[in-house]
Amino acid sequence: MNVAIEHIAIPASDPIALKKWYERVLDARELFNNGQNPPAYLIALPGGGWFEIYAADGVPENRGNNDLAGFRHIALRVDSIAAAKTELEKRGVVFTGAMRPAGGGGNVLFFLDCEGNLLHLVERPKDAGHFSRLNPL
């Protein structure tokens, strides 16, 4: 059986604003718009991977707390954290801490989207053999 992640759902207080944030900040592009109110979207990141954005029924406390149970963050793989950080800061992103080591090798750098969802950049060593089998998103 060949299993892969197709998309990640992001319920939003303001789906329109969140979609626009991902388009502006991460160069996402719209794949689907349900044309309804409230709207629902599928958007694609330029390097692969989709997000489904739709209206949330409520907002959990501490959604950016990486230590709570359940899915906690989205890791975005980049070739260079330094280059990505510079570009994202130009687009208004504020990082939540310093760069730190990533589990399995490399480094990570965390930030929040406009709704407070936790994301991070991850840069892996180019010679990390144990990651060579992985398909990048």
Side-chain angles (χ1 to χ4, degrees), residues 83-134:
K85 179 179 187 274
T86 298
E87 182 59 34
L88 291 177
E89 285 175 333
K90 289 178 188 175
R91 298 176 187 198
V93 170
V94 175
F95 292 89
T96 60
M99 187 168 28
R100 61 185 203 225
N107 292 297
V108 296
L109 183 61
F110 285 85
F111 63 102
L112 303 172
D113 68 17
C114 66
E115 291 236 346
N117 299 301
L118 188 61
L119 301 107
H120 75 71
L121 303 175
V122 60
E123 175 185 16
R124 300 283 183 193
K126 298 209 183 305
D127 62 349
H130 56 290
F131 290 110
S132 63
R133 296 185 317 270
L134 300 178

Side-chain angles (χ1 to χ4, degrees), residues 2-48:
N2 185 17
V3 178
I5 295 171
E6 189 213 57
H7 73 268
I8 296 168
I10 310 174
S13 298
D14 186 342
I16 296 168
L18 188 61
K19 173 189 162 284
K20 287 180 181 179
W21 187 91
Y22 279 96
E23 289 171 335
R24 180 180 59 79
V25 175
L26 298 181
D27 296 327
R29 65 180 173 82
E30 183 180 296
L31 298 175
F32 170 78
N33 177 340
N34 72 351
Q36 298 176 11
N37 189 12
Y41 306 101
L42 278 175
I43 61 173
L45 295 176

